[in-house]
Amino acid sequence: MGSAQTVTVYGAYGHTGRFVVAHLRERGFVPVLSGRDAGKLRELAATLPGVEVRPAPVDDPAALDRALAGADAVINSAGPFATTAAPVIEAALRAGIPYVDVAAEIEANADTFTHFADRARAAKAVIVPAMAFYGGLGDLLATAAMGDWTTADEAHIAYGLSGWHPTAGTRAAGEVSHGRRGGRRVRYTKGRLEYHDDQPTVLKWHFPEPMGIRDVMGEFTMADVVTIPSHLAVPEVSTHMASEAARELAASDTPAPTAADDDGRSDQTFLVDAVVRSGGTERRAVARGRDIYAVTAPLAVEAVHRILTGRTRTVGVASAGEIFDAPDFLRALSPHISVELRP
Ligand SMILES: NC(=O)c1ccc[n+]([C@@H]2O[C@H](COP(=O)([O-])OP(=O)(O)OC[C@H]3O[C@@H](n4cnc5c(N)ncnc54)[C@H](OP(=O)(O)O)[C@@H]3O)[C@@H](O)[C@H]2O)c1
């Protein structure tokens, strides 16, 4: 074995960043802690002997260059990504290292494709946005469910969350996205993002047993509407959210998640039901696990591991489903996520 590979985590002391740092260590990587607040970085580093701290405000390219110097990859877990994605991607391109982020912001993810696709492809750089629970997992499931299909009429991702206690970062990202949309709602239909003012509707969704039929908020649009159509020929992509979780997210007094086990995971559980339809036929992939923030860490770290070991299918800006072998990637997530393919 050579020396361990180094991964800079930008936003290392955030709720999700801490899971990423811990999981990198578990997988044998050496994390470098970065982010805008030197004090918070030092506080985290005090619990992790030997881990280096490299503070960098996101609007300071020289500091970002120092944060990424000598690293093999960077994971950006600092959001809102409308602010952090572009400068950290620019730094990754200057450093010549892969960039992975956990952005759940539809517009920010779309911007990453729009603004960096050509330059990243020309540089043979790898940039994977939304490599997380939202955006990444749904895309891997939909891609795996497609199997040998090259097109489908529609794809649906239904989120069966037991509840949703959002972090400050989730709330901040939601506010930024809401502002960018001028308060309008968004969906992906007829092969493009469409902004609209239709009222949300509650649907009955047949989740696999034992969850069974549950109320979901229809067209509760998440980052999967950017990642899935970025590489799959599916003109209708929609995502739906368990009504209780949608209510908790919307309520201003819902508390932040709290640790319920030794790994810091909350007691939130999830079932993600991905359904693709073509003609009269339906294919499905289902994922189950615990804590949408904690589980983002194995998703992002597995992505970095695959990029650094050359198990990728393309270069440039690419979603998880495009750049990785989706069924193989999903299998590798066990025991963090259990996956069932139902062709
Ligand atoms: N796609 C998904 O499934 C998924 C999963 C998990 C998280 N996320 C996203 O990841 C982001 C972080 O979530 P979280 O749960 O970790 O929230 P969090 O605990 O509130 O952490 C947010 C982090 O971002 C940093 N940050 C915010 N604005 C910044 C800026 N302008 N420059 C530099 N750093 C900045 C914060 O630093 P300060 O403390 O200094 O403000 C903090 O480290 C959110 O955007 C969230 O939506 C997405």
Side-chain angles (χ1 to χ4, degrees):
M1 285 280 287
S3 59
Q5 288 179 304
T6 301
V7 180
T8 298
V9 182
Y10 192 74
Y13 54 78
H15 184 80
T16 306
R18 287 167 189 267
F19 284 116
V20 171
V21 168
H23 197 70
L24 281 167
R25 285 161 58 86
E26 266 170 54
R27 299 271 315 249
F29 290 98
V30 175
V32 170
L33 312 185
S34 190
R36 64 179 167 184
D37 189 318
K40 290 183 188 173
L41 288 169
R42 278 196 296 270
E43 216 173 285
L44 175 60
T47 65
L48 307 169
V51 169
E52 204 184 327
V53 160
R54 298 189 198 165
V58 79
D59 57 358
D60 183 342
L64 285 173
D65 286 348
R66 286 193 292 276
L68 272 50
D72 295 287
V74 57
I75 299 177
N76 183 5
S77 59
F81 290 85
T83 306
T84 69
V88 182
I89 292 172
E90 292 285 4
L93 288 171
R94 288 194 298 275
I97 60 172
Y99 167 96
V100 168
D101 76 33
V102 304
E105 296 152 54
I106 291 163
E107 288 77 9
N109 284 322
D111 282 351
T112 297
F113 281 94
T114 306
H115 297 150
F116 291 100
D118 292 346
R119 279 172 60 199
R121 200 179 309 111
K124 295 191 168 43
V126 170
I127 295 173
V128 187
M131 192 57 251
F133 180 76
Y134 295 114
L137 180 58
D139 181 32
L140 288 165
L141 291 169
T143 306
M146 291 278 287
D148 58 359
W149 288 355
T150 53
T151 64
D153 301 327
E154 50 192 77
H156 299 274
I157 311 290
Y159 287 103
L161 306 190
S162 60
W164 190 350
H165 289 193
T167 60
T170 293
R171 289 194 187 281
E175 276 165 31
V176 166
S177 295
H178 184 78
R180 290 187 73 173
R181 289 171 202 154
R184 307 190 80 194
R185 300 181 66 222
V186 62
R187 63 185 162 219
Y188 188 86
T189 183
K190 300 184 184 73
R192 61 184 180 85
L193 285 178
E194 177 183 277
Y195 289 86
H196 66 95
D197 297 308
D198 295 352
Q199 286 303 306
T201 49
V202 174
L203 317 169
K204 300 276 181 209
W205 188 266
H206 292 243
F207 287 97
E209 296 299 340
M211 188 171 278
I213 297 175
R214 291 217 5 217
D215 282 352
V216 296
M217 189 179 282
E219 291 185 348
F220 187 99
T221 304
M222 303 305 283
D224 312 282
V225 303
V226 177
T227 52
I228 292 172
S230 73
H231 67 107
L232 295 177
V234 186
E236 304 289 329
V237 180
S238 59
T239 63
H240 316 286
M241 177 60 65
S243 291
E244 179 57 23
R247 265 195 299 276
E248 286 194 332
L249 177 66
S252 58
D253 58 351
T254 303
T258 51
D261 72 8
D262 292 344
D263 295 328
R265 297 184 305 173
S266 71
D267 57 11
Q268 178 197 47
T269 57
F270 64 79
L271 186 161
V272 183
D273 191 16
V275 177
V276 290
R277 296 194 182 115
S278 181
T281 313
E282 184 171 287
R283 291 179 173 178
R284 198 169 204 145
V286 180
R288 292 180 173 81
R290 177 171 171 176
D291 191 332
I292 65 174
Y293 297 98
V295 90
T296 286
L299 282 157
V301 174
E302 178 65 20
V304 164
H305 186 241
R306 282 175 186 245
I307 294 165
L308 294 179
T309 50
R311 286 177 296 157
T312 48
R313 297 177 150 179
T314 187
V315 292
V317 181
S319 72
E322 180 179 15
I323 195 165
F324 303 118
D325 174 336
D328 191 62
F329 192 113
L330 289 166
R331 275 193 295 276
L333 294 173
S334 170
H336 307 285
I337 301 182
S338 66
V339 176
E340 214 182 310
L341 289 177
R342 300 179 167 200

